[in-house]
Amino acid sequence: MMLQVRAFQLSNVDVGRSWILDPAELTRAALFSGELPRRRFLAGRLVQRHFAAELLGLADDRLEIDYHCPACGQGSWLNHGRPGYTVEGRPVPLVLSLSRCGDWAVVAGQLDADLTGAVGVDVEDESSTAFEGFDATLLTDGEQRLTLSTPEHSRPQLRAQLWTRKEALLKALGTGLAREPNGIDVVADPRVRSMAPEPLGLPSNLVVAVAWLALPPRR
Ligand SMILES: CC(C)(COP(=O)(O)OP(=O)(O)OC[C@H]1O[C@@H](n2cnc3c(N)ncnc32)[C@H](O)[C@@H]1OP(=O)(O)O)[C@@H](O)C(=O)NCCC(=O)NCCS
């Protein structure tokens, strides 16, 4: 099966089904001080679980989370990091990634029997990179040159594309922003691709990138 990428509107999700989530997920949800961020967190975890279950052909309440953080470790007790699931203690043959932006979430996943691949997805609003110092702090020298040689009116979209490509790749690598984004050039990296938002059902102001890595077999 090919890499699947799907978008979801979080306000359409029935968070009354949050009882199917795992205790670590509900504990993290309880830490949000605002109702809207809590609701969006829960909705994202629900759509991700449902998406994973559908690819696996299983009921969504059979999955148990198995997150991985490079700093904290891995397991059902962990409420952050790279997503994954187990069923009856065994890792499911699926690699997965999630990103939220406002009322939207994008989930990418692929069945991977040997778990030798990794996926990363990111969605951002085009305006999210419009701040002083973005280029100098977060882009490589080559990316900064490309931005400067691009007509001014196209720069916000280019910056958002570069940023989503970086975050998608850093999620696939599993490090997230623990690795410096200005040390990773994504202009022509074949592991990452930008996707148009409209075919996914997303508003046109959103920018999406997906990264796919083939890792060496573990055995
Ligand atoms: C991961 C990160 C790039 C997220 O970016 P963002 O634009 O704020 O948020 P997004 O909605 O796009 O992505 C959030 C999702 O990224 C995923 N994610 C988090 N850390 C990840 C990692 N190390 N690798 C892969 N995916 C990760 C999770 O699925 C998370 O969803 P959740 O909120 O349901 O847990 C960024 O927050 C980050 O790097 N954080 C981790 C830094 C770190 O490792 N700190 C040490 C923690 S102890």
Side-chain angles (χ1 to χ4, degrees), residues 127-179:
S127 64
S128 64
T129 56
F131 59 87
E132 189 72 28
F134 173 83
D135 292 11
T137 330
L138 298 168
L139 300 185
T140 64
D141 292 347
E143 291 165 346
Q144 290 183 45
R145 281 195 297 276
L146 176 68
T147 307
L148 283 178
S149 67
T150 298
E152 210 156 329
H153 69 272
S154 302
R155 286 183 198 166
Q157 198 192 28
L158 173 65
R159 289 191 178 104
Q161 281 174 348
L162 291 170
W163 182 244
T164 51
R165 290 167 74 90
K166 279 176 198 277
E167 283 213 321
L169 189 54
L170 292 172
K171 284 183 187 176
L173 291 166
T175 62
L177 293 172
R179 182 160 160 188

Side-chain angles (χ1 to χ4, degrees), residues 11-90:
S11 53
N12 287 340
V13 178
D14 175 14
V15 290
R17 281 197 85 232
S18 295
W19 58 268
I20 68 164
L21 297 178
D22 285 322
E25 297 180 293
L26 299 175
T27 302
R28 180 158 155 210
L31 296 174
F32 286 90
S33 53
E35 190 49 36
L36 186 60
R38 175 174 28 253
R39 208 189 169 285
R40 286 176 169 168
F41 169 76
L42 290 169
R45 290 295 181 102
L46 283 166
V47 295
Q48 173 185 283
R49 178 179 285 255
H50 189 74
F51 171 86
E54 202 179 294
L55 293 192
L56 293 160
L58 295 170
D60 56 9
D61 58 357
R62 288 192 61 201
L63 302 178
E64 188 176 20
I65 52 164
D66 186 30
Y67 272 68
H68 177 268
C69 167
C72 309
Q74 178 163 5
S76 62
W77 52 273
L78 189 62
N79 61 19
H80 66 272
R82 185 170 64 198
Y85 293 100
T86 55
V87 170
E88 287 156 13
R90 280 191 293 276

Side-chain angles (χ1 to χ4, degrees), residues 97-121:
S97 186
L98 166 81
S99 181
R100 298 183 194 80
C101 179
D103 193 28
W104 295 92
V106 180
V107 190
Q110 181 163 333
L111 293 177
D112 184 0
D114 298 325
L115 293 173
T116 53
V119 64
V121 69

